[in-house]
mmCIF file of all heavy atoms in Angstrom:
data_model
loop_
_atom_site.group_PDB
_atom_site.id
_atom_site.type_symbol
_atom_site.label_atom_id
_atom_site.label_comp_id
_atom_site.label_asym_id
_atom_site.label_seq_id
_atom_site.Cartn_x
_atom_site.Cartn_y
_atom_site.Cartn_z
ATOM 1 N N LEU A 157 2.662 9.743 7.406
ATOM 2 C CA LEU A 157 1.387 10.425 7.457
ATOM 3 C C LEU A 157 0.212 9.496 8.009
ATOM 4 O O LEU A 157 0.076 8.411 7.440
ATOM 5 C CB LEU A 157 0.813 11.101 6.270
ATOM 6 C CG LEU A 157 -0.316 11.804 6.288
ATOM 7 C CD1 LEU A 157 -0.179 13.120 7.026
ATOM 8 C CD2 LEU A 157 -0.789 12.273 4.770
ATOM 9 N N ASP A 158 -0.396 9.936 9.071
ATOM 10 C CA ASP A 158 -1.532 9.182 9.461
ATOM 11 C C ASP A 158 -2.781 9.689 8.704
ATOM 12 O O ASP A 158 -3.152 10.877 8.959
ATOM 13 C CB ASP A 158 -1.811 9.396 11.055
ATOM 14 C CG ASP A 158 -2.992 8.842 11.619
ATOM 15 O OD1 ASP A 158 -4.078 8.581 10.896
ATOM 16 O OD2 ASP A 158 -3.012 8.307 12.765
ATOM 17 N N PRO A 159 -3.363 8.992 7.794
ATOM 18 C CA PRO A 159 -4.425 9.600 6.940
ATOM 19 C C PRO A 159 -5.766 9.963 7.704
ATOM 20 O O PRO A 159 -6.445 10.797 7.237
ATOM 21 C CB PRO A 159 -4.611 8.443 5.932
ATOM 22 C CG PRO A 159 -4.076 7.199 6.477
ATOM 23 C CD PRO A 159 -3.206 7.580 7.498
ATOM 24 N N VAL A 160 -5.980 9.269 8.926
ATOM 25 C CA VAL A 160 -7.137 9.702 9.677
ATOM 26 C C VAL A 160 -6.934 11.055 10.410
ATOM 27 O O VAL A 160 -7.664 11.938 10.296
ATOM 28 C CB VAL A 160 -7.416 8.583 10.581
ATOM 29 C CG1 VAL A 160 -8.617 8.949 11.497
ATOM 30 C CG2 VAL A 160 -7.838 7.323 9.890
ATOM 31 N N LYS A 161 -5.822 11.062 11.203
ATOM 32 C CA LYS A 161 -5.587 12.357 11.916
ATOM 33 C C LYS A 161 -4.955 13.424 10.976
ATOM 34 O O LYS A 161 -4.995 14.626 11.408
ATOM 35 C CB LYS A 161 -4.566 12.101 13.012
ATOM 36 C CG LYS A 161 -4.994 11.243 14.083
ATOM 37 C CD LYS A 161 -4.018 11.044 15.209
ATOM 38 C CE LYS A 161 -4.499 10.113 16.374
ATOM 39 N NZ LYS A 161 -3.495 9.846 17.390
ATOM 40 N N ARG A 162 -4.528 13.054 9.777
ATOM 41 C CA ARG A 162 -3.883 13.972 8.895
ATOM 42 C C ARG A 162 -2.743 14.731 9.468
ATOM 43 O O ARG A 162 -2.498 15.889 9.308
ATOM 44 C CB ARG A 162 -4.979 14.948 8.323
ATOM 45 C CG ARG A 162 -6.024 14.152 7.437
ATOM 46 C CD ARG A 162 -7.019 15.009 6.720
ATOM 47 N NE ARG A 162 -6.799 16.304 6.614
ATOM 48 C CZ ARG A 162 -7.696 17.263 6.407
ATOM 49 N NH1 ARG A 162 -9.016 16.971 6.537
ATOM 50 N NH2 ARG A 162 -7.407 18.529 6.288
ATOM 51 N N GLN A 163 -1.991 13.971 10.312
ATOM 52 C CA GLN A 163 -0.682 14.484 10.883
ATOM 53 C C GLN A 163 0.357 13.369 10.670
ATOM 54 O O GLN A 163 0.131 12.203 10.621
ATOM 55 C CB GLN A 163 -1.078 14.630 12.505
ATOM 56 C CG GLN A 163 -1.859 15.789 12.902
ATOM 57 C CD GLN A 163 -1.177 17.130 12.556
ATOM 58 O OE1 GLN A 163 0.020 17.332 12.662
ATOM 59 N NE2 GLN A 163 -1.991 18.107 12.357
ATOM 60 N N PHE A 164 1.631 13.882 10.586
ATOM 61 C CA PHE A 164 2.627 12.978 10.436
ATOM 62 C C PHE A 164 3.124 12.534 11.909
ATOM 63 O O PHE A 164 3.081 13.326 12.833
ATOM 64 C CB PHE A 164 3.952 13.640 9.974
ATOM 65 C CG PHE A 164 3.875 13.844 8.294
ATOM 66 C CD1 PHE A 164 3.335 15.076 7.763
ATOM 67 C CD2 PHE A 164 4.029 12.743 7.495
ATOM 68 C CE1 PHE A 164 3.280 15.120 6.480
ATOM 69 C CE2 PHE A 164 3.885 12.887 6.040
ATOM 70 C CZ PHE A 164 3.517 14.068 5.582
ATOM 71 N N PHE A 165 3.605 11.162 12.016
ATOM 72 C CA PHE A 165 4.119 10.719 13.266
ATOM 73 C C PHE A 165 5.563 10.231 12.975
ATOM 74 O O PHE A 165 5.758 9.710 11.889
ATOM 75 C CB PHE A 165 3.264 9.783 13.915
ATOM 76 C CG PHE A 165 2.937 8.497 13.081
ATOM 77 C CD1 PHE A 165 3.729 7.323 13.298
ATOM 78 C CD2 PHE A 165 1.978 8.557 12.110
ATOM 79 C CE1 PHE A 165 3.537 6.263 12.493
ATOM 80 C CE2 PHE A 165 1.672 7.313 11.444
ATOM 81 C CZ PHE A 165 2.528 6.255 11.558
ATOM 82 N N VAL A 166 6.409 10.262 13.922
ATOM 83 C CA VAL A 166 7.912 9.872 13.789
ATOM 84 C C VAL A 166 7.850 8.239 13.671
ATOM 85 O O VAL A 166 7.272 7.582 14.523
ATOM 86 C CB VAL A 166 8.559 10.363 14.968
ATOM 87 C CG1 VAL A 166 10.003 9.754 14.898
ATOM 88 C CG2 VAL A 166 8.722 11.855 14.977
ATOM 89 N N ILE A 167 8.492 7.726 12.753
ATOM 90 C CA ILE A 167 8.748 6.337 12.689
ATOM 91 C C ILE A 167 10.187 5.910 12.719
ATOM 92 O O ILE A 167 10.633 4.789 13.063
ATOM 93 C CB ILE A 167 8.137 5.756 11.347
ATOM 94 C CG1 ILE A 167 8.808 6.265 10.040
ATOM 95 C CG2 ILE A 167 6.682 5.803 11.330
ATOM 96 C CD1 ILE A 167 8.341 5.538 8.861
ATOM 97 N N ASP A 168 11.149 6.896 12.506
ATOM 98 C CA ASP A 168 12.610 6.583 12.742
ATOM 99 C C ASP A 168 13.405 7.846 12.761
ATOM 100 O O ASP A 168 12.893 8.970 12.383
ATOM 101 C CB ASP A 168 13.102 5.686 11.604
ATOM 102 C CG ASP A 168 14.105 4.766 12.043
ATOM 103 O OD1 ASP A 168 14.883 4.975 12.989
ATOM 104 O OD2 ASP A 168 14.382 3.651 11.326
ATOM 105 N N SER A 169 14.595 7.745 13.378
ATOM 106 C CA SER A 169 15.511 8.951 13.432
ATOM 107 C C SER A 169 17.023 8.425 13.044
ATOM 108 O O SER A 169 17.161 7.244 13.237
ATOM 109 C CB SER A 169 15.553 9.545 14.715
ATOM 110 O OG SER A 169 15.921 8.724 15.776
ATOM 111 N N PHE A 170 17.748 9.338 12.410
ATOM 112 C CA PHE A 170 18.930 9.001 11.859
ATOM 113 C C PHE A 170 19.969 9.937 12.286
ATOM 114 O O PHE A 170 19.931 11.201 11.870
ATOM 115 C CB PHE A 170 18.925 9.064 10.308
ATOM 116 C CG PHE A 170 17.881 7.992 9.804
ATOM 117 C CD1 PHE A 170 16.559 8.419 9.598
ATOM 118 C CD2 PHE A 170 18.243 6.751 9.622
ATOM 119 C CE1 PHE A 170 15.573 7.503 9.162
ATOM 120 C CE2 PHE A 170 17.232 5.761 9.142
ATOM 121 C CZ PHE A 170 15.916 6.194 8.917
ATOM 122 N N ALA A 171 20.835 9.586 13.273
ATOM 123 C CA ALA A 171 21.785 10.609 13.947
ATOM 124 C C ALA A 171 22.953 10.776 12.874
ATOM 125 O O ALA A 171 23.236 9.929 12.112
ATOM 126 C CB ALA A 171 22.363 9.913 15.108
ATOM 127 N N PHE A 172 23.502 12.066 12.915
ATOM 128 C CA PHE A 172 24.578 12.271 12.133
ATOM 129 C C PHE A 172 25.899 11.704 12.606
ATOM 130 O O PHE A 172 26.111 11.602 13.844
ATOM 131 C CB PHE A 172 24.918 13.851 12.183
ATOM 132 C CG PHE A 172 23.906 14.775 11.572
ATOM 133 C CD1 PHE A 172 22.768 14.099 10.953
ATOM 134 C CD2 PHE A 172 23.841 16.079 11.513
ATOM 135 C CE1 PHE A 172 21.708 14.950 10.339
ATOM 136 C CE2 PHE A 172 22.949 16.873 10.864
ATOM 137 C CZ PHE A 172 21.763 16.313 10.325
ATOM 138 N N GLY A 173 26.627 10.975 11.666
ATOM 139 C CA GLY A 173 27.705 10.185 12.042
ATOM 140 C C GLY A 173 29.174 10.877 12.147
ATOM 141 O O GLY A 173 30.083 10.290 12.554
ATOM 142 N N SER A 174 29.139 12.135 11.645
ATOM 143 C CA SER A 174 30.464 12.920 11.643
ATOM 144 C C SER A 174 31.631 12.154 10.755
ATOM 145 O O SER A 174 32.661 12.261 11.194
ATOM 146 C CB SER A 174 30.910 13.238 12.990
ATOM 147 O OG SER A 174 29.997 13.977 13.730
ATOM 148 N N ASN A 175 31.112 11.449 9.782
ATOM 149 C CA ASN A 175 32.105 10.765 8.981
ATOM 150 C C ASN A 175 32.055 11.228 7.542
ATOM 151 O O ASN A 175 31.528 10.607 6.668
ATOM 152 C CB ASN A 175 31.733 9.179 8.928
ATOM 153 C CG ASN A 175 32.059 8.567 10.260
ATOM 154 O OD1 ASN A 175 33.125 8.829 10.895
ATOM 155 N ND2 ASN A 175 31.134 7.907 10.775
ATOM 156 N N PRO A 176 32.452 12.572 7.318
ATOM 157 C CA PRO A 176 32.382 13.055 6.053
ATOM 158 C C PRO A 176 32.998 12.204 4.918
ATOM 159 O O PRO A 176 34.160 11.797 5.170
ATOM 160 C CB PRO A 176 32.784 14.583 6.127
ATOM 161 C CG PRO A 176 33.602 14.612 7.366
ATOM 162 C CD PRO A 176 33.099 13.343 8.215
ATOM 163 N N GLU A 177 32.504 12.196 3.689
ATOM 164 C CA GLU A 177 33.082 11.488 2.624
ATOM 165 C C GLU A 177 34.272 12.413 2.170
ATOM 166 O O GLU A 177 34.023 13.672 2.038
ATOM 167 C CB GLU A 177 32.130 11.234 1.385
ATOM 168 C CG GLU A 177 31.108 10.237 1.694
ATOM 169 C CD GLU A 177 30.075 9.998 0.635
ATOM 170 O OE1 GLU A 177 30.052 10.878 -0.241
ATOM 171 O OE2 GLU A 177 29.674 8.850 0.420
ATOM 172 N N PRO A 178 35.459 11.933 1.838
ATOM 173 C CA PRO A 178 36.408 12.731 1.258
ATOM 174 C C PRO A 178 35.965 13.448 -0.073
ATOM 175 O O PRO A 178 35.335 12.872 -0.795
ATOM 176 C CB PRO A 178 37.602 11.890 1.084
ATOM 177 C CG PRO A 178 37.050 10.389 1.076
ATOM 178 C CD PRO A 178 35.675 10.518 1.871
#
Side-chain angles (χ1 to χ4, degrees):
L157 182 68
D158 179 329
V160 176
K161 291 183 179 175
R162 295 183 20 208
Q163 290 288 328
F164 284 99
F165 61 94
V166 174
I167 60 170
D168 213 338
S169 62
F170 303 88
F172 293 0
S174 299
N175 293 310
E177 288 181 336

